[in-house]
Amino acid sequence: MLEILRVGTVAHVGVVTDWGPLVLPMVYGITDDTMYLHGALANSLLGAAADMDICATVTIVDGLVFAKTPFNHSMNYRSVVVRGRARLVTDKDEVLRSLQLMTDHVVPTWNVMRHPSPSDIRATRVVALSLDEMSAKVRTGGAVNDDEDESAPYWSGYVPLTARLGQPVSNDDAGDGIPTQVQNLVGQDIHARSHLDG
Amino acid sequence: MLEILRVGTVAHVGVVTDWGPLVLPMVYGITDDTMYLHGALANSLLGAAADMDICATVTIVDGLVFAKTPFNHSMNYRSVVVRGRARLVTDKDEVLRSLQLMTDHVVPTWNVMRHPSPSDIRATRVVALSLDEMSAKVRTGGAVNDDEDESAPYWSGYVPLTARLGQPVSNDDAGDGIPTQVQNLVGQDIHARSHLDG
């Protein structure tokens, strides 16, 4: 399950509001036992989520599965659901550590950037979620057709889907060249993430 | 907003359970005013969701945004949040229509497969959600750096991300050849979906 979380891109985080459930995408990072969540989009969510039960779901869609009838259509995917009580991170060292985790989760670039200032850290809201309660579902392979469809003259199978990283586009104010870690992404599948190990 | 929903792949659907919020990925299809949700994974969710408030969020991650400091890191994305009361679809014609919508949402293949039998339709649980209450967020382009970082010697920019469809893999029991609609997917970005218009 950690391996799925390690290669996922965004978490869809659900909280209960006065108006019912709300689900928003957020960036995240993990240790072996904790998930850190962050996102400007989700600052209001983060405010509401502290000390509340939340659910963070990470899904990687790996393929489209075509059966001989739509009833048996499916997708190949890896998905992890983490549930628990959100904890607002207030310790400055833990905020800093979580920012490094969330940065390096996507691409390990912490060492080629300006590190957060004390005021950056004060302005950053991060929520921690224990990985104690999590479950995973994984589907792979082709379609499962009904027995009655076995000889039916329809195609079935699957089409793989990969999240492919393209050529970096530099900011006008970008100093220096493109870091090796970023340049190495070109053409990679972000959900395979071999560049994280290299 | 409809355009984002039209090209998305899965919805992350949140409901409120006795144990707090729960978020699960589901396949979906849309009309101009209704979202239909379905998924074997989510049958229990669908049972719980009928006549309950739910939230269905569709997110497409379009790129990784690298600022000069992690505080300004971001992602490029398109996201739509739909909230409302779930309605369990019980009318047989509407179930059939929703199955066609959900099938053709991914790839228009309804016409090259066995259509659902009455017992398939009875066994299919579909939930409808009105599109009356929805909102979208979109981020594009490069990083927004702090003024103080403008001349800092760090790289910043973005790396585009595309969900690329690969070569179809046929089932052992697949009849006929690979349908043109599926073969045409190879190398396409599923979130651009020009094949839907062609």
Side-chain angles (χ1 to χ4, degrees):
Chain A
M1 283 189 275
L2 283 178
E3 184 52 30
I4 298 171
L5 290 179
R6 207 171 69 90
V7 299
T9 316
V10 296
H12 278 84
V13 182
V15 293
V16 181
T17 73
D18 291 345
W19 302 94
L22 177 63
V23 178
L24 292 178
M26 298 176 70
V27 297
Y28 72 94
I30 58 163
T31 66
D32 286 347
D33 58 18
T34 303
M35 183 175 204
Y36 291 103
L37 297 158
H38 176 62
L41 168 70
N43 266 349
S44 60
L45 177 65
L46 283 169
D51 295 317
M52 283 176 61
D53 288 323
I54 67 173
C55 177
T57 300
V58 174
T59 305
I60 301 166
V61 179
D62 290 316
L64 311 175
V65 180
F66 298 87
K68 297 190 179 188
T69 188
F71 189 65
N72 295 316
H73 270 38
S74 189
M75 289 194 187
N76 287 334
Y77 65 91
R78 291 167 275 170
S79 186
V80 173
V81 174
V82 186
R83 304 177 80 176
R85 183 68 49 107
R87 171 173 65 83
L88 188 64
V89 179
T90 52
D91 179 79
K92 274 182 290 189
D93 291 339
E94 191 180 6
V95 170
L96 186 65
R97 208 161 55 238
S98 73
L99 283 170
Q100 177 166 6
L101 282 166
M102 290 186 285
T103 300
D104 287 346
H105 175 83
V106 180
V107 183
T109 47
W110 186 258
N111 292 325
V112 293
M113 64 177 61
R114 174 172 75 72
H115 289 176
S117 65
S119 71
D120 286 345
I121 291 173
R122 275 194 302 275
T124 302
R125 270 192 138 161
V126 177
V127 155
L129 178 62
S130 159
L131 296 182
D132 280 348
E133 198 190 328
M134 65 174 168
S135 59
K137 288 245 183 187
V138 174
R139 190 202 191 282
T140 58
V144 178
N145 288 305
D146 292 344
D147 289 347
E148 63 176 285
D149 286 331
E150 205 167 291
S151 57
Y154 301 110
W155 184 74
S156 68
Y158 69 97
V159 178
L161 192 59
T162 50
R164 193 186 163 87
L165 289 150
Q167 192 67 44
V169 179
S170 295
N171 256 33
D172 288 344
D173 61 0
D176 290 355
I178 297 167
T180 315
Q181 300 95 311
V182 175
Q183 191 60 59
N184 284 349
L185 296 177
V186 179
Q188 293 245 20
D189 175 7
I190 198 174
H191 300 136
R193 307 287 285 279
S194 51
H195 59 282
L196 289 182
D197 307 316
Chain B
M1 283 188 276
L2 284 178
E3 183 54 27
I4 298 171
L5 291 179
R6 206 171 70 91
V7 298
T9 316
V10 296
H12 278 84
V13 182
V15 293
V16 182
T17 73
D18 291 344
W19 303 93
L22 177 63
V23 178
L24 292 177
M26 297 176 69
V27 298
Y28 71 94
I30 58 164
T31 66
D32 285 347
D33 58 17
T34 303
M35 183 176 205
Y36 291 103
L37 297 159
H38 177 62
L41 168 71
N43 267 349
S44 60
L45 177 66
L46 284 169
D51 294 318
M52 283 175 62
D53 288 324
I54 67 172
C55 178
T57 299
V58 174
T59 305
I60 301 165
V61 179
D62 290 317
L64 311 175
V65 180
F66 297 87
K68 297 190 178 188
T69 188
F71 189 66
N72 295 318
H73 269 39
S74 189
M75 289 194 186
N76 287 333
Y77 64 90
R78 291 166 275 170
S79 186
V80 173
V81 175
V82 186
R83 304 177 80 176
R85 183 67 50 107
R87 173 173 64 83
L88 188 64
V89 179
T90 51
D91 179 79
K92 275 182 288 189
D93 291 340
E94 191 180 7
V95 170
L96 186 66
R97 209 160 56 238
S98 73
L99 283 170
Q100 177 166 8
L101 282 166
M102 290 186 284
T103 300
D104 288 346
H105 176 82
V106 181
V107 182
T109 47
W110 185 258
N111 291 325
V112 292
M113 63 177 62
R114 175 171 74 75
H115 290 177
S117 66
S119 71
D120 287 345
I121 291 174
R122 275 194 302 275
T124 301
R125 269 192 138 158
V126 177
V127 155
L129 178 62
S130 159
L131 295 182
D132 280 350
E133 199 190 327
M134 66 174 169
S135 59
K137 287 245 184 187
V138 175
R139 190 201 191 282
T140 58
V144 178
N145 289 305
D146 292 344
D147 289 346
E148 63 176 286
D149 286 330
E150 204 166 294
S151 57
Y154 301 109
W155 184 74
S156 68
Y158 70 96
V159 178
L161 192 59
T162 49
R164 192 186 164 89
L165 289 150
Q167 193 67 43
V169 178
S170 295
N171 256 34
D172 288 343
D173 62 358
D176 289 357
I178 296 167
T180 315
Q181 300 95 312
V182 175
Q183 190 61 58
N184 284 349
L185 297 176
V186 180
Q188 292 245 20
D189 176 6
I190 198 175
H191 299 135
R193 309 286 285 278
S194 51
H195 61 281
L196 290 181
D197 307 316

